[in-house]
Amino acid sequence: MSQQKKEIGAELVGAWKMMSCHAEVEGESELRYPVGRNPQGFVVITANHRIIALVTSGDPRKPATNEAEAAALLRSLIGYSGRFEIDDEKFVTTPDVTATGSYIGEKQVRYYKVDGDNLTIKSGVQQGSLYPGKKTRSTNVFVREK
């Protein structure tokens, strides 16, 4: 990996606490909140270009007692890890493990902006697993954990 790519990604290295997460669905005017309006979680980005994310709904949940509750619980979770390549405006992650088993080995493009201790990550328009048959664009905002 070139020295230039390492320097570009240096500002992302660290632990980032999620502050907000929303999705825009093509053809809809209202935002959706895939893990609720008060998500909790972190993204950890390492210097050797690995990203690890775990985000859950900020709402306390009891253990599931039936299949519908189990499905709702699974929909309130985002979790994955993978290697990434980076340039000055985007990184491309190739997940090698995910909470749901989806997207493993599929390149995921994310556009990022670091502003001090704030990180915004946006996806391009994509077919989302949470909204079958619909194309979405997500925006996630994080603050650096110190």
Side-chain angles (χ1 to χ4, degrees):
M1 183 162 308
S2 75
Q3 182 64 24
Q4 180 183 12
K5 286 194 180 223
K6 287 184 181 180
E7 290 172 9
I8 289 172
E11 65 187 343
L12 292 174
V13 172
W16 299 87
K17 181 178 181 179
M18 176 160 273
M19 302 306 292
S20 67
C21 171
H22 70 264
E24 300 169 60
V25 178
E26 279 191 347
E28 295 182 8
S29 59
E30 292 191 34
L31 297 177
R32 294 208 190 181
Y33 299 87
V35 287
R37 291 183 182 263
N38 300 301
Q40 294 181 342
F42 289 88
V43 167
V44 177
I45 301 173
T46 69
N48 67 343
H49 290 217
R50 174 162 291 279
I51 186 167
I52 302 166
L54 178 61
V55 176
T56 67
S57 164
D59 302 323
R61 300 235 179 196
K62 297 177 185 173
T65 59
N66 59 52
E67 287 188 30
E69 289 176 358
L73 184 61
L74 186 58
R75 282 192 305 274
S76 71
L77 168 70
I78 299 169
Y80 68 93
S81 179
R83 309 278 304 155
F84 66 90
E85 300 169 14
I86 191 165
D87 65 30
D88 60 357
E89 67 176 19
K90 70 181 180 297
F91 60 91
V92 180
T93 302
T94 305
D96 47 31
V97 64
T98 68
T100 63
S102 58
Y103 304 117
I104 292 174
E106 295 179 23
K107 293 187 181 299
Q108 302 291 307
V109 177
R110 300 293 182 261
Y111 299 89
Y112 72 93
K113 180 179 180 186
V114 177
D115 183 12
D117 286 333
N118 297 303
L119 170 64
T120 301
I121 299 175
K122 295 183 177 190
S123 73
V125 175
Q126 62 187 24
Q127 180 66 47
S129 62
L130 292 177
Y131 309 109
K134 298 183 180 199
K135 292 189 178 183
T136 64
R137 177 188 318 262
S138 65
T139 300
N140 304 295
V141 178
F142 302 86
V143 65
R144 186 183 300 275
E145 184 177 57
K146 293 184 178 186

